[in-house]
Amino acid sequence: TNRRMKLQDMLVMLYICISHLFVLISVEEENPEFWRSSAQNTLRSALSRKLNSNVAKNIVLFLGDGMGVTTITAARILKGQLQNRSGEETVMNMDTFPFVGLAKVYTVDFQIPDSAATATAYLCGVKTNLNTVGVSAAARNGVCRSQKGNEVTSILKWAKDAGKSVGIVTTTRVQHATPAASYAHSASRTWYSDADLPTSAVTGGCMDIASQLLRNTDIDVIIGGGRKYMTPKGFPDPEYPTDLKAQGQRKDNRNLINEWLSMKEGKVARYVWNKTDFDAVDPEKTDYLMALFEPGDLRFDVERDPSMDPSISETTEKAIRILKKNPKGFFLLVEGGRIDQGHHDSRASMALHEAVALDDAVARGLELTNEEETLTIVTADHSHAFTFNGYPFRGNSILGKSPIFAMDLLPYTTLMYGNGPGHKITNNKRPDIRNVDTTDKDYVQQAAVPLDSETHGGEDVALFARGPMAHLFQGVYEQNYIAHAMAFAACVGTNQEHCAATAEPDKTPFTSIDPGSSAPNTPFGAMTTVMLSITMSVLLH
């Protein structure tokens, strides 16, 4: 009897879903001409595309931490469904970028990477070992003495050395793996403050990441979280003065925030920790900005208090408005860091809303920059053990359940994890989620293997590029190639021979690289550009 009732429930759900499907399908999509016309429009767009071979005055790198292809697809659908559409046909801002490639993310020592090793690859141009930042693979995880002489610099430093302004924006602490690789050298990504240094690191003379934020590179804009790593042990947090976990952690009694301000004598430098003061910062009158909105990582976007903490779109805008005043241009790293943390918790809703927020920031970045002079890139450091599965009907909630039950006569969600905290078996059965709201922000997706924290994935990640030299990012390449291609596009770091042509009009070995012109008009010029681009791509691998 119970089995028959369950079967009836399944048939009822199937009928409802099929009925819903016919409502969703528009009449125009039943007409073959709709799809032919759509394809022809895409074809015409591809055929009319011209290579932008200008020198990139600016670079904006949007990094979705943990934003694998499955996350991008699911976030695309969520973004559309938040706008009361079926979702699948939604066009993300990153989807509009004309050039797409795939980056291989393995590290020197592991098949599946972490954010520290990958950040070192795409920012410093060198693959390294798991858990290390800003050092080569000759350095060993957690071994202070091994990092000496094996430090590698990033494109942020290359840009600064070339006279550009530089900035980092993140939704994690500014000492976290991704931003840290842009300015720090550490045998361990977890050495956030001096309190995190083991005795061997202290005696070996290694410096914590927060201290390196001030010492290594003069960064114009620093936005994220991480106040507690900057202040003395026991120092009360301005926002949470009674919270012991939010207090300062430094053992050396240094206040790095005050030190940072004192280092900017003669310049207009602002430190803020709340949205009111942040909004009051005038980009036109500000040389340096440090904005730390939380003791650690920022809040997830769906839990953010808009009166206290700005969105990633707002922080991106402020950073660009400050940096763009430099006539030599700028480099900006924008990280949607909590996509990754949502996935580790197996809370798909959190991860996807973070990805949507990052895509909104991409739109803001495009509005504030000129495609003719700004190379904009959107990519990820790695993916997750995250699957988009079953046979959900068109328009089914991306956070919902598959309409067809499993062999155990229980439903399952469209989004699941290969491992993680969602693995729950009671009496040899999966949980019955028929009456569970799986769209809730705190819902933990089911997983095949029990782990406290879901793991990263090892497949290639997508890279979307737009602007000067965006065509260098086609195909499949090692992740460390990204830093070299960005540097080539902006004429910073090494490989600047082609840049000399811009200063000598009579010499045209690389005709198309001219800051004041677009791609060459002649077929020969276009062919030359492509051939030289391919050559440089091979050499830089």
Side-chain angles (χ1 to χ4, degrees):
T1 302
N2 289 338
R3 189 178 181 87
R4 187 179 299 113
M5 289 177 64
K6 288 182 178 179
L7 184 58
Q8 288 174 342
D9 288 344
M10 290 173 61
L11 291 173
V12 169
M13 182 176 288
L14 188 60
Y15 173 78
I16 292 172
C17 289
I18 291 175
S19 300
H20 184 57
L21 175 66
F22 284 111
V23 172
L24 281 173
I25 294 179
S26 63
V27 174
E28 65 178 0
E29 290 188 6
E30 295 179 349
N31 185 346
E33 285 307 312
F34 169 81
W35 300 106
R36 291 168 182 154
S37 176
S38 173
Q40 288 298 318
N41 288 337
T42 303
L43 180 60
R44 281 191 290 272
S45 176
L47 290 170
S48 65
R49 187 177 300 147
K50 290 183 173 61
L51 298 185
N52 179 347
S53 295
N54 298 341
V55 170
K57 176 182 177 182
N58 314 309
I59 298 176
V60 183
L61 172 59
F62 289 95
L63 192 286
D65 197 314
M67 191 176 69
V69 172
T70 303
T71 300
I72 292 172
T73 303
R76 179 189 300 126
I77 295 172
L78 175 63
K79 186 165 189 173
Q81 292 180 346
L82 291 172
Q83 299 166 353
N84 296 317
R85 294 184 283 124
S86 65
E88 296 84 2
E89 71 292 337
T90 303
V91 178
M92 298 270 272
N93 293 298
M94 65 183 80
D95 292 341
T96 66
F97 286 36
F99 296 98
V100 181
L102 291 174
K104 298 189 283 185
V105 300
Y106 66 91
T107 70
V108 170
D109 56 348
F110 277 78
Q111 276 187 343
I112 296 179
D114 77 318
S115 298
T118 51
T120 303
Y122 62 76
L123 289 173
C124 303
V126 174
K127 286 214 172 193
T128 190
N129 297 321
L130 210 72
N131 294 328
T132 63
V133 292
V135 291
S136 72
R140 298 292 180 262
N141 178 26
V143 182
C144 171
R145 66 178 182 275
S146 70
Q147 76 180 50
K148 304 294 182 174
N150 294 318
E151 298 88 350
V152 292
T153 56
S154 78
I155 188 169
L156 180 139
K157 177 169 172 46
W158 309 338
K160 188 69 180 185
D161 290 346
K164 296 182 185 293
S165 294
V166 297
I168 55 175
V169 170
T170 180
T171 55
T172 65
R173 67 208 88 166
V174 297
Q175 305 85 359
H176 210 249
T178 299
S182 71
Y183 61 83
H185 315 287
S186 181
S188 174
R189 59 177 286 181
T190 62
W191 294 346
Y192 302 122
S193 79
D194 66 327
D196 301 310
L197 295 173
T199 303
S200 59
V202 175
T203 57
C206 284
M207 183 180 294
D208 64 276
I209 293 170
S211 294
Q212 294 187 58
L213 178 61
L214 272 64
R215 176 174 174 172
N216 291 355
T217 305
D218 185 26
I219 304 175
D220 302 88
V221 175
I222 303 166
I223 302 177
R227 291 191 295 252
K228 64 183 179 181
Y229 305 112
M230 308 290 282
T231 54
K233 188 174 180 61
F235 189 87
D237 186 81
E239 189 173 357
Y240 314 104
T242 61
D243 186 350
L244 298 180
K245 293 182 179 179
Q247 291 181 348
Q249 295 191 356
R250 301 198 64 82
K251 290 183 176 180
D252 56 12
N253 206 38
R254 294 171 64 191
N255 186 316
L256 299 184
I257 296 170
N258 290 341
E259 288 185 23
W260 180 82
L261 287 168
S262 66
M263 291 168 63
K264 310 306 178 189
E265 187 175 349
K267 297 289 186 178
V268 180
R270 296 287 307 276
Y271 166 71
V272 299
W273 60 268
N274 61 70
K275 190 171 187 297
T276 299
D277 292 342
F278 177 78
D279 290 343
V281 173
D282 183 353
E284 295 302 319
K285 300 178 181 177
T286 302
D287 300 315
Y288 291 90
L289 172 65
M290 178 185 286
L292 304 178
F293 296 108
E294 290 289 334
D297 299 324
L298 303 191
R299 296 181 182 275
F300 283 107
D301 194 63
V302 296
E303 297 178 335
R304 178 175 57 87
D305 181 353
S307 68
M308 288 299 295
D309 301 328
S311 67
I312 189 171
S313 291
E314 292 171 304
T315 53
T316 297
E317 176 170 351
K318 187 78 75 173
I320 290 176
R321 290 194 183 280
I322 293 173
L323 299 174
K324 71 188 299 185
K325 299 195 305 292
N326 187 337
K328 292 186 177 181
F330 65 86
F331 170 84
L332 175 63
L333 169 65
V334 180
E335 183 201 17
R338 301 221 68 187
I339 300 170
D340 175 74
Q341 293 171 351
H343 279 317
H344 281 307
D345 293 341
S346 293
R347 297 157 76 192
S349 176
M350 286 297 198
L352 298 186
H353 278 89
E354 291 295 304
V356 171
L358 179 66
D359 192 60
D360 291 341
V362 171
R364 190 70 61 88
L366 295 177
E367 292 168 2
L368 294 167
T369 56
N370 181 348
E371 186 175 357
E372 288 303 304
E373 63 180 18
T374 302
L375 171 62
T376 303
I377 292 171
V378 183
T379 190
D381 47 358
H382 55 73
S383 67
H384 277 265
F386 185 49
T387 63
F388 181 12
N389 70 136
Y391 294 99
F393 294 113
R394 174 80 175 271
N396 192 60
S397 170
I398 190 62
L399 298 170
K401 310 174 185 79
S402 174
I404 301 176
F405 287 19
M407 290 179 66
D408 57 7
L409 298 181
L410 291 173
Y412 59 94
T413 52
T414 302
L415 301 174
M416 301 176 72
Y417 290 91
N419 56 54
H423 178 89
K424 294 179 177 65
I425 300 294
T426 305
N427 296 326
N428 206 33
K429 287 187 176 181
R430 295 185 302 118
D432 186 346
I433 59 173
R434 279 179 293 183
N435 297 318
V436 175
D437 181 9
T438 59
T439 66
D440 186 87
K441 66 181 179 65
D442 293 317
Y443 177 72
V444 176
Q445 253 72 18
Q446 292 181 3
V449 175
L451 288 177
D452 288 338
S453 177
E454 178 268 353
T455 71
H456 296 166
E459 70 271 20
D460 300 352
V461 295
L463 183 146
F464 306 83
R466 174 173 173 168
M469 292 292 175
H471 53 281
L472 295 180
F473 297 95
Q474 299 178 80
V476 180
Y477 33 78
E478 297 287 356
Q479 194 171 37
N480 68 294
Y481 165 73
I482 297 169
H484 294 275
M486 287 191 295
F488 181 88
C491 286
V492 300
T494 57
N495 296 304
Q496 293 193 30
E497 294 82 1
H498 63 287
C499 306
T502 64
E504 300 180 61
D506 293 333
K507 295 183 179 181
T508 56
F510 207 87
T511 311
S512 61
I513 298 187
D514 181 346
S517 69
S518 58
N521 294 322
T522 64
F524 176 77
M527 185 170 65
T528 302
T529 298
V530 173
M531 292 303 295
L532 283 170
S533 297
I534 293 172
T535 302
M536 289 307 303
S537 175
V538 172
L539 290 174
L540 292 172
H541 256 64

